[in-house]
Amino acid sequence: MSTLNQLPVVVIGAGPVGLAAAAHLHERGIAFTVLEAADTPGAAVRQWGHVRVFSPWRYNIDPAARRILDEAGWVVPDLEALPSGAELVGDYLQPLAELPQLKPHLRYGARVEAISRLGRDRLRTAGRESTPFLIRLADGDELLARAVIDASGTWGTPNVLGASGLPARGETTVAAFLEHALPDVLGAARDRFAGRHSLVVGAGHSAANTLLSLAELAATTPGTEVTWAIRTASPARTYGGGDADALPARGALGARLRAHVDAGRIRLLTGFSVHALTPTDGRVTVVVRHADASEESVTVDRIVAATGFRPDHSIAAELRLDLDPVLGATRALAPLIDPNEHSCGTVPPHGVDELAHPEAGYYAVGMKSYGRAPTFLMATGYEQVRSVVAALAGDWTAARDVQLDLPETGVCNSNPADSATGDSCCGPAPTAEPAARGLATGISGGLLSAPLNLVTLDAAPADGQAGGCCGS
């Protein structure tokens, strides 16, 4: 065994995919260390603990994790039930992290600041692949590793409100009025929304869940107004397939949202592109710029930025990464998940070959592997780490035997009495699915059976009940 292989594999992040990687490493007999910046496992999931995912338990449990949990006498949840984020952590991730096979190898409060090769910057090639990785933590501590599996996710790096991919003018100055995706509208954050006018920006499932919670709040709290703004001309992607969806809770999400819009309880604004934000007498004014350079504005109390996420590759700046210039995913994976091409189609199961970089031994997995694509599935992440760990073990036959078993419409998240976190899309799915392919997003079946009367910005009242959008 080489000196390099005597070092552990370092996993960054103790979320669902990071802990799944740890379970697979354990099963393969490979030494590992999991570095988690927070003080608990599943820290990002805990932040949307009030949300109920729309995929049943059976799609949210990694097979290797299940095997070692079963050995410990784990009480298996109802595999057909829909867990909340809090249940996902409390009933699965926390027990998994507490297992003696994993717990000694988890380090909390360990934020990774940078990754490099020991004694070699990005320019030096000679002997690079046989040189250990150097992982530097924010507290100055350093670790050596034979390989790095980066499952740190994207929750901490949301997209901006500005429609050009840059912050809108004044966006940083109105931070006090902005909300991260999936605020607990009916719980801890209730006082920030009750009796106020809220603008939700975005067209994904996180936006839909927040809108449904706000509509429920408005039904019991006078003065609560809800405006939904999207950049596109139609909400069809968000409404989804209704009864045609293979996951009933997911289909119900769009149907309920559309009912609120049709009834006028949620005002929908389309063609909405945020240009500037300005504090105005304890509220915030959102200025919208149209394609013809004309502008108009609306003043609201709160803005929920449900505009998606982007990866932060800065910790790997001294590694040789081959990133797609559009998505920030690997160049090999990007064409398979590009929402410009595949937002409603199938995504092939993929593993170590599609996740590999020129920097041998470094893999970004999970949500981070998808870059800016909004179509990531938890089950996809589990299969990614299974493939990567098999490759690290030298079992290339298993590493390349990548398969994914998903329901017809894919597995993302939520419903608000049943709520969630992922973004997705809509559109007819292929009628025939090739072998070994999993449907990433997409809705099977008819989308909108009747035309929907949309409110465009140009038709908005002069007093400006309009909103801003970045979600698409």
Side-chain angles (χ1 to χ4, degrees), residues 40-403:
T40 62
V45 180
R46 291 175 191 272
Q47 293 189 49
W48 49 268
H50 57 286
V51 170
R52 189 168 299 281
V53 303
F54 61 58
S55 55
W57 266 112
R58 60 193 173 97
Y59 291 107
N60 301 321
I61 302 171
D62 172 73
R66 169 74 186 271
R67 287 190 289 271
I68 58 175
L69 281 165
D70 284 346
E71 290 173 6
W74 183 52
V75 178
V76 184
D78 179 355
L79 295 180
E80 298 306 317
L82 306 178
S84 66
E87 290 167 344
L88 192 62
V89 173
D91 297 342
Y92 171 54
L93 298 180
Q94 190 71 50
L96 180 61
E98 291 295 323
L99 291 174
Q101 296 95 323
L102 269 59
K103 185 175 181 178
H105 309 286
L106 269 64
R107 288 184 55 176
Y108 298 108
R111 181 174 297 279
V112 174
E113 187 174 77
I115 311 167
S116 186
R117 292 279 190 176
L118 182 64
R120 285 171 169 76
D121 62 18
R122 197 167 67 185
L123 293 177
R124 296 190 59 187
T125 299
R128 190 172 189 86
E129 292 190 9
S130 60
T131 300
F133 285 92
L134 172 69
I135 296 95
R136 179 172 294 169
L137 305 183
D139 64 5
D141 195 11
E142 294 182 344
L143 295 82
L144 298 181
R146 60 171 283 198
V148 177
I149 299 176
D150 185 352
S152 57
T154 58
W155 180 260
T157 50
N159 284 328
V160 296
L161 280 168
S164 299
L166 304 175
R169 290 185 181 178
E171 188 165 334
T172 56
T173 65
V174 299
F177 301 94
L178 300 182
E179 299 277 349
H180 196 289
L182 295 167
D184 189 0
V185 171
L186 299 174
R190 185 185 187 97
D191 289 346
R192 299 201 297 271
F193 294 94
R196 299 173 185 268
H197 183 186
S198 298
L199 169 67
V200 178
V201 181
H205 282 98
S206 57
N209 279 284
T210 298
L211 287 162
L212 290 171
S213 293
L214 284 167
E216 183 176 340
L217 179 64
T220 60
T221 309
T224 303
E225 297 180 59
V226 188
T227 298
W228 175 27
I230 60 175
R231 188 167 53 191
T232 56
S234 168
R237 184 182 75 115
T238 310
Y239 289 158
D243 292 341
D245 198 312
L247 294 176
R250 184 184 181 189
L253 181 70
R256 292 165 62 190
L257 178 59
R258 180 179 176 179
H260 282 300
V261 172
D262 288 349
R265 292 184 290 270
I266 295 174
R267 187 175 186 208
L268 172 63
L269 304 175
T270 64
F272 204 96
S273 184
V274 175
H275 174 61
L277 301 106
T278 307
T280 306
D281 298 327
R283 307 178 81 201
V284 59
T285 297
V286 183
V287 177
V288 179
R289 176 170 288 179
H290 300 286
D292 62 2
S294 63
E295 296 181 355
E296 58 185 284
S297 66
V298 58
T299 300
V300 297
D301 297 294
R302 306 297 297 171
I303 301 175
V304 179
T307 52
F309 302 86
R310 60 181 65 188
D312 180 3
H313 293 294
S314 62
I315 62 172
E318 283 304 316
L319 300 182
R320 297 176 175 183
L321 305 187
D322 185 18
L323 296 171
D324 176 75
V326 177
L327 294 184
T330 60
R331 197 175 299 272
L333 178 59
L336 308 180
I337 61 174
D338 187 345
N340 294 294
E341 303 293 335
H342 297 285
S343 62
C344 301
T346 59
V347 174
H350 55 274
V352 65
D353 290 331
E354 292 80 12
L355 298 170
H357 286 280
E359 194 69 68
Y362 172 81
Y363 304 95
V365 298
M367 191 72 183
K368 191 169 186 177
S369 73
Y370 267 44
R372 295 197 192 188
T375 53
F376 176 73
L377 313 171
M378 198 179 300
T380 300
Y382 295 158
E383 183 64 359
Q384 286 179 343
V385 295
R386 186 208 59 78
S387 173
V388 166
V389 172
L392 292 174
D395 186 353
W396 286 95
T397 299
R400 289 175 171 142
D401 182 21
V402 185
Q403 300 181 20

